[in-house]
């Protein structure tokens, strides 16, 4: 009897299907309701309309939050990826004494509950004179995303063969030329994957952000959170739809670009 | 400087920015809040530097904090159990499926990428007074008035399960995928039936993945304060909500430090036990 037949397998498949429905249904309802013509962000559907997306576009507070989010995530992504790539190179490419301990240290920010990280950082930087500000947000997002970048980049770096670099060197390239002409292009998919990961995690963060953000400054998630205080408005559903498209679309785009790059570099 | 010495220094130059960041933005701040937890907030609103045990006494002996800590651990435990029960068969299906595993996994990762706050609030659209379920029940005539299904402990657990399930499935999947399928076939050919083969071969071999997923679900679940704020009622506060209250609302930073450290100690103990018996490598496999 093959492993994918029989009653047991059918039950498992049915169960898995239900799990997928459980994961997707609420999200699908958000998207559906964002096109609802009704005044209220709820059922019944009274007709299809794009009006909530138009209102979203005209909502100053949301546009400002969007701008803050994008600037914050871009900066976080750049800094985190730079730090993460350098550290990953050291861990993968060199024999570092105590490499395991160092790895654990570097991923410690995700082993500590985010609330505790948020409190510690807020209190310490405040003590140093850095009060709730964009800078504090940036520090927080960098330290929180760094472990993810290191995990992702390290996993991909392992697969780049050292012999290719050695060949370049033996053919007369100096270390700097080798890095920029051989290593960096080979690493690019890993670097992009890390940057994308950092961006997405930073874009989605709310737990730490609520501790670090100064009054009056909102990112998209904290803006949604603030809007939820009243009631669920159709605008929230529309904003949710935009975020779903962004957070799902970006990684998919990233995967596609990485594939493209990998193919071109003769993978 | 000799070539060897320069070679030996290079990795440290590459590591130093990241290590400095983790040191200054995580470890020093953690040590700092240990010190801060012994300071005292005075009536004037200023924090008095010194060595006071008041915050620790309050945090450790007040029944209010203890009760919420226990209910937080209970909520995290139930969430983890539900994630395991829902996630294991789903991970097994993906690992043993003859279809396109990459697509099945990607489908699972999609909700993982979707914003946590959106996924949490999406349940209001389903369970709210004018949500999908109530609309459906009214339409069928089963109820005449909408039922308030939200803002209680079960909905907090529901939100957490929805948030954490992908972590569980991914970890179990990684571990199941690494098991040689011929082992199970060998067991059946030696006379075990499918169920026995699963119980005695596959399940034990996949336990590390289950444990890694469980740890992640528990620790992430126990550290959340957003889900109870969105989907819970006034009495469904979790321990992280107390930290948020103390730090952001009451501005009692010394007490907030003590409460944060309590949460860190409880969850850190779990991570340490896990690390002692299973090691961090399994966890990294699932995250990477």
């Amino acid at each position: 009897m093959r492993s994918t037949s029989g009653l047991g397998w059918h039950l498992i498949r049915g169960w898995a299907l239900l799990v997928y429905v459980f994961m997707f249904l609420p999200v699908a309802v958000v998207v559906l309701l964002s096109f609802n013509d009704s005044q209220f962000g709820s059922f019944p559907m009274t007709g299809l309309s794009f009006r909530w997306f138009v209102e979203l576009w005209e909502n100053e507070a949301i546009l400002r939050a969007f701008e803050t989010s994008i600037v914050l995530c871009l900066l976080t992504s750049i800094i985190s990826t730079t730090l993460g790539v350098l550290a990953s190179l050291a861990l993968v490419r060199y024999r570092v004494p105590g490499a395991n301990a160092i790895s654990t240290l570097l991923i410690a920010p995700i082993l500590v509950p985010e609330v505790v990280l948020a409190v510690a950082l807020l209190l310490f930087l405040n003590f140093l004179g850095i009060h709730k500000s964009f800078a504090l947000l940036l520090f927080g997002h960098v330290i929180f995303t760094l472990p993810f970048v290191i995990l992702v980049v390290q996993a991909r770096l392992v697969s780049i063969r050292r012999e290719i670099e050695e060949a370049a060197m033996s053919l007369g390239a100096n270390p700097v030329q080798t890095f920029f002409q051989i290593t960096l292009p080979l690493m690019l998919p890993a670097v992009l994957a890390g940057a994308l990961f950092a961006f997405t995690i930073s874009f989605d963060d709310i737990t730490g952000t609520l501790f670090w953000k100064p009054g009056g400054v909102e990112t998209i998630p904290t803006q949604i959170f603030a809007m939820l205080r009243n009631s669920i408005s159709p605008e929230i559903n529309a904003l949710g739809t935009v975020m779903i498209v962004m957070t799902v679309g970006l990684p998919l785009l990233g995967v596609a670009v990485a594939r493209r790059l990998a193919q071109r570099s003769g993978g | 400087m000799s070539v060897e010495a320069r070679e030996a220094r290079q990795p440290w130059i590459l590591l130093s920015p990241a290590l400095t960041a983790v040191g200054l933005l995580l470890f020093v701040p953690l040590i700092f809040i240990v010190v801060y937890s012994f300071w005292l907030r005075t009536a004037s609103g200023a924090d008095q530097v010194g060595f006071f045990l008041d915050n620790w006494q309050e945090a450790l002996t007040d029944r209010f904090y203890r009760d919420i800590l226990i209910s937080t651990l209970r909520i995290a435990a139930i969430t983890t159990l539900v994630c395991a029960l829902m996630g294991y068969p789903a991970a097994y299906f993906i690992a043993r499926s003859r279809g396109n595993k990459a697509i099945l996994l990607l489908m699972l990762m999609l909700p993982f990428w979707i914003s946590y706050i959106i996924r949490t609030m999406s349940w209001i659209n389903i369970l709210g007074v004018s949500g999908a379920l109530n609309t459906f029940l009214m339409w069928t005539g089963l109820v005449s008035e909408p039922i308030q299904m939200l803002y209680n402990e079960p909905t907090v657990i529901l939100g957490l399960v929805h948030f954490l399930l992908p972590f569980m499935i991914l970890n179990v999947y990684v571990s199941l995928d690494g098991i040689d399928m011929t082992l199970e076939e060998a067991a059946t050919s030696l006379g075990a039936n499918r169920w026995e083969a699963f119980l005695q071969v596959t399940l034990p071999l996949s336990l590390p993945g289950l444990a890694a997923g469980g740890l992640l679900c528990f620790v992430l679940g126990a550290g959340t304060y957003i889900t109870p704020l969105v989907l819970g009622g006034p009495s469904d506060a979790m321990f992280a909500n107390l930290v948020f209250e103390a730090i952001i609302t009451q501005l009692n930073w010394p007490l907030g430090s003590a409460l944060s450290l309590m949460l860190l100690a409880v969850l850190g103990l779990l991570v340490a036990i896990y690390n002692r018996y299973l090691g961090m490598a399994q966890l990294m496999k699932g995250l990477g």
Side-chain angles (χ1 to χ4, degrees), chain B residues 11-227:
Chain B
W12 295 106
I13 296 172
L14 294 173
L15 278 170
S16 58
L19 283 174
T20 310
V22 174
L24 283 181
L25 301 178
L26 178 69
F27 288 103
V28 177
L30 282 179
I31 295 164
F32 180 75
I33 59 166
V34 174
V35 176
Y36 214 127
S37 68
F38 291 104
W39 294 2
L40 198 60
R41 182 174 157 84
T42 57
S44 69
D47 294 326
Q48 194 183 342
V49 178
F51 188 80
F52 301 96
L53 292 172
D54 306 44
N55 302 310
W56 282 105
Q57 200 187 352
E58 187 180 342
L60 293 172
T61 57
D62 196 324
R63 274 196 70 113
F64 175 68
Y65 295 122
R66 202 190 59 199
D67 289 350
I68 290 191
L69 182 62
I70 290 170
S71 84
T72 299
L73 296 178
R74 188 187 64 236
I75 289 173
I78 297 172
T79 301
T80 307
L81 190 68
V82 174
C83 281
L85 291 175
M86 285 180 75
Y88 196 99
Y92 188 89
F93 169 73
I94 300 173
R96 294 285 181 269
S97 166
R98 272 184 288 179
N100 193 334
K101 285 185 202 177
I103 296 284
L104 287 173
L105 262 187
L106 186 71
M107 295 251 296
L108 193 84
M109 292 310 285
L110 285 185
F112 194 63
W113 286 107
I114 293 170
S115 159
Y116 163 51
I117 184 77
I118 296 287
R119 282 200 283 152
T120 307
M121 74 94 181
S122 69
W123 286 101
I124 301 176
N125 284 328
I126 304 280
L127 300 176
V129 173
S130 51
L133 194 54
N134 265 317
T135 310
F136 176 75
L137 287 176
M138 305 255 289
W139 177 75
T140 58
L142 281 171
V143 296
S144 51
E145 286 284 303
I147 317 162
Q148 180 55 277
M149 294 177 249
L150 279 173
Y151 313 121
N152 47 49
E153 193 177 297
T155 49
V156 172
I157 293 172
L158 180 74
L160 286 176
V161 168
H162 194 232
F163 163 45
L164 297 168
L165 191 55
F167 289 95
M168 176 63 85
I169 298 184
L170 205 63
N171 275 283
V172 174
Y173 168 79
V174 167
S175 149
L176 280 173
D177 200 43
I179 299 174
D180 191 347
M181 267 172 75
T182 54
L183 285 176
E184 211 170 316
E185 282 162 23
T188 43
S189 75
L190 288 171
N193 67 35
R194 299 280 307 280
W195 178 241
E196 284 166 349
F198 170 76
L199 278 187
Q200 297 187 10
V201 178
T202 312
L203 184 63
L205 286 173
S206 66
L207 279 183
L210 197 59
L215 182 79
L216 277 175
C217 289
F218 192 95
V219 170
L220 289 173
T224 183
Y225 66 93
I226 302 289
T227 308

Side-chain angles (χ1 to χ4, degrees), chain A residues 11-117:
Chain A
L11 284 176
I12 289 169
R13 196 169 54 187
W15 185 263
L17 188 71
L18 286 179
V19 167
Y20 276 99
V21 169
F22 171 75
M23 292 309 295
F24 277 100
L25 188 69
V27 178
V29 170
V30 169
V31 176
L32 182 69
L33 283 176
S34 69
F35 293 102
N36 191 0
D37 196 30
S38 152
Q39 275 298 329
F40 311 101
S42 56
F43 287 98
M45 297 281 293
T46 52
L48 285 179
S49 141
F50 283 96
R51 61 189 275 209
W52 302 114
F53 291 92
V54 176
E55 295 219 355
L56 208 60
W57 188 248
E58 284 161 358
N59 186 326
E60 288 276 332
I62 289 172
L63 289 183
R64 236 182 338 202
F66 203 75
E67 202 185 314
T68 310
S69 268
I70 295 289
V71 174
L72 178 64
C73 297
L74 277 178
L75 288 174
T76 300
S77 181
I78 291 167
I79 299 172
S80 225
T81 309
T82 310
L83 297 183
V85 167
L86 293 179
S88 305
L89 269 175
L91 290 170
V92 174
R93 282 303 158 89
Y94 295 88
R95 282 231 180 108
V96 189
N100 272 337
I102 294 173
S103 284
T104 310
L105 276 184
L106 289 176
I107 54 150
I110 44 174
L111 298 178
V112 173
E114 198 185 343
V115 188
V116 180
L117 168 73

